[in-house]
Amino acid sequence: MKIKFVYFGLGVLFLAHFGESQNATFDITKYGATANADISEAVGKAFKEACASTSPSTIVIPKGTFQMNQVLLEGPCKGPIELQIQAILKAPTDPNAIKTGEWLTVNKLDFFTMSGGGTLDGQGKEAWECKKSKKCTKLPNNLSFNSLTNSIIKDITTLDSKAFHVNVNQCKNLTFTKFNVSAPADSPNTDGIHVARASSVNITESSFSTGDDCISIGDETEQLYITKVTCGPGHGISVGSLGGNPGEKPVVGVFVKNCTLVSTDNGVRIKTWPASHPGVVSDIHFEDIIVQNVSNPIVIDQVYCPSGKCNKDLPSQVKISKVSIQNIKGTSRTQNAISLTCSKGSPCEGVEVGDVDISYSGKEGPAKSSCENIKPTFKGKQTPAVCSAGADAPAPAAAAS
Ligand SMILES: *[C@@H]1O[C@H](CO)[C@@H](O)[C@H](O)[C@H]1NC(C)=O
Ligand SMILES: *[C@@H]1O[C@H](CO)[C@@H](O)[C@H](O)[C@H]1NC(C)=O
Ligand SMILES: *[C@@H]1O[C@H](CO)[C@@H](O)[C@H](O)[C@H]1NC(C)=O
Ligand SMILES: *[C@@H]1O[C@H](CO)[C@@H](O)[C@H](O)[C@H]1NC(C)=O
Ligand SMILES: *[C@@H]1O[C@H](CO)[C@@H](O)[C@H](O)[C@H]1NC(C)=O
Ligand SMILES: *[C@@H]1O[C@H](CO)[C@@H](O)[C@H](O)[C@H]1NC(C)=O
């Protein structure tokens, strides 16, 4: 593709595209894609040409319903690429159709955009049954973004993933906006977005309904902003679980702000394994959050052990510090509205609790909090009172001995 400057008499300078393809748009129907057939090869071919284009290019998957098997789009490419998915894309229903890797993987691109208003339908039902009956162990995630920089994912829906909907790994400056994730409450491990080894990731104006965490945050995540997100059903927005593997790098700078959680198991949560490897979680901020009918709205759990097969006598070695909890309002579905269980070997430090107003209307009595190995500082007003019984909040020095 060449760009020529065309000069017109009236002194107006036009920028025009000329060259062999006239226009850097690659419509997959020009690469052999037809409705209801597998389009993975056509997408691959279109991507190959787009990737070689030095000017910005757009790959279009037009409106319609297409089958798509496994696709890998891998850079580096010569110019920015937009993948416009206007279609409904259907994954193979057979959980074994994808042996390794993910359904759609996008790697090593700079200035990548995914857009188009389309839907990625993981058709996970068969896979979930397989998993529940323990016949399938490892299932593919829906979407995997690795080593992307300066990229945007917008106006996309992902439905019924077989496993995690989206895995974000080693990305820098990546924004999700108007990104919707939807799977039933009882679908196993269908986390919305899992972010790890990434920095400057924004997730905003997006909605998540899943059978697991709406957003989960793994090690080496830095400067993650989650704003104007709704979550539910699901397990909430979670930092962790951490400490499960040796050499995990710190999670530093997570800002969850202006979000709403409805009928989720947890609201905002930090979870680390007992008997863990060392780790660091710092600079975490939960602010302006609405919880409605959330089972456990505010949670720090350093004895997280869903399998029940952990050595809970040995403490977590993940150090949690500089956490703020500010302006959290709404209703709890259980009496235990606030549960801050820090590690006896590595108590939480620098936790600040601001305005909290969470009510519970069960027959046991009003909402309450529980605290271990934490001494928060307070600002504003808390309902229920947080860590008020000093007895169950031993000083860090005493706990560490
Ligand atoms: C290329 O042409 C398509 C229609 O064929 C149009 O939708 C698109 O905006 C054009 N792209 C560029 C970069 O000019
Ligand atoms: C982040 O990526 C966006 C989208 O490509 C870009 O507009 C912006 O300039 C990038 N920001 C930085 C700090 O590089
Ligand atoms: C991410 O969100 C933060 C806070 O809203 C904002 O300051 C920052 O510019 C955003 N970054 C991108 C790449 O959009
Ligand atoms: C995505 O979620 C938002 C917020 O819940 C909603 O307004 C929007 O209609 C959804 N978009 C799609 C394509 O489902
Ligand atoms: C975000 O804040 C605005 C203004 O305070 C509010 O109208 C909106 O409902 C909030 N959104 C969420 C998802 O909490
Ligand atoms: C409260 O949440 C539970 C799931 O945790 C759900 O089954 C129930 O329908 C919700 N109740 C309301 C009133 O939304």
Side-chain angles (χ1 to χ4, degrees), residues 9-287:
L10 289 167
V12 184
L13 187 64
F14 286 91
L15 250 186
H17 293 260
F18 289 91
E20 52 292 21
S21 64
Q22 278 300 96
N23 172 333
T25 297
F26 302 89
D27 185 324
I28 60 141
T29 58
K30 308 255 159 54
Y31 294 83
T34 53
N36 296 313
D38 171 28
I39 60 163
S40 34
E41 217 179 289
V43 173
K45 282 185 188 156
F47 177 77
K48 203 171 159 209
E49 290 201 19
C51 189
S53 165
T54 49
S55 55
S57 53
T58 306
I59 301 165
V60 177
I61 306 181
K63 283 206 165 72
T65 299
F66 298 97
Q67 298 293 321
M68 188 173 85
N69 292 336
Q70 193 169 27
V71 168
L72 167 65
L73 307 179
E74 185 160 271
C77 292
K78 294 219 161 73
I81 294 183
E82 176 160 351
L83 174 62
Q84 237 182 58
I85 303 175
Q86 300 168 6
I88 297 171
L89 299 181
K90 296 209 173 258
T93 53
D94 176 2
N96 295 310
I98 293 165
K99 294 284 181 218
T100 55
E102 270 95 15
W103 181 29
L104 172 58
T105 303
V106 186
N107 289 349
K108 300 182 192 158
L109 295 178
D110 192 21
F111 291 99
F112 171 73
T113 304
M114 184 185 281
S115 63
T119 296
L120 291 136
D121 183 354
Q123 306 210 91
K125 226 173 163 174
E126 200 175 312
W128 305 330
E129 294 308 320
C130 190
K131 174 142 195 175
K132 284 179 189 163
S133 68
K134 300 204 183 335
K135 282 191 213 119
C136 296
T137 46
K138 197 164 179 334
L139 292 169
N141 299 321
N142 223 347
L143 272 163
S144 180
F145 299 116
N146 306 280
S147 306
L148 301 187
T149 47
N150 305 313
S151 295
I152 300 173
I153 314 295
K154 63 177 182 192
D155 300 314
I156 290 289
T157 296
T158 142
L159 205 66
D160 293 352
S161 178
K162 290 179 170 52
F164 285 16
H165 282 88
V166 181
N167 199 26
V168 170
N169 191 31
Q170 289 182 313
C171 294
K172 192 165 181 197
N173 186 17
L174 172 66
T175 296
F176 288 83
T177 180
K178 308 207 165 56
F179 185 78
N180 289 5
V181 169
S182 174
D186 63 352
S187 58
N189 293 111
T190 51
D191 290 48
I193 300 181
H194 180 72
V195 180
R197 292 167 287 282
S199 65
S200 302
V201 172
N202 275 12
I203 303 172
T204 188
E205 293 180 45
S206 295
S207 74
F208 297 82
S209 309
T210 72
D212 208 306
D213 291 331
C214 289
I215 298 171
S216 60
I217 298 152
D219 88 303
E220 213 177 334
T221 298
E222 292 179 13
Q223 305 307 115
L224 168 64
Y225 298 87
I226 300 170
T227 52
K228 299 184 193 163
V229 156
T230 61
C231 167
H235 296 181
I237 296 173
S238 295
V239 175
S241 41
L242 291 166
N245 299 299
E248 288 180 356
K249 302 248 175 55
V251 172
V252 180
V254 175
F255 303 82
V256 181
K257 199 171 150 75
N258 199 199
C259 294
T260 302
L261 298 111
V262 182
S263 299
T264 50
D265 284 7
N266 300 282
V268 290
R269 176 165 62 152
I270 302 172
K271 51 182 174 172
T272 79
W273 299 93
S276 81
H277 297 280
V280 169
V281 173
S282 185
D283 202 9
I284 311 294
H285 307 278
F286 302 122
E287 202 176 315

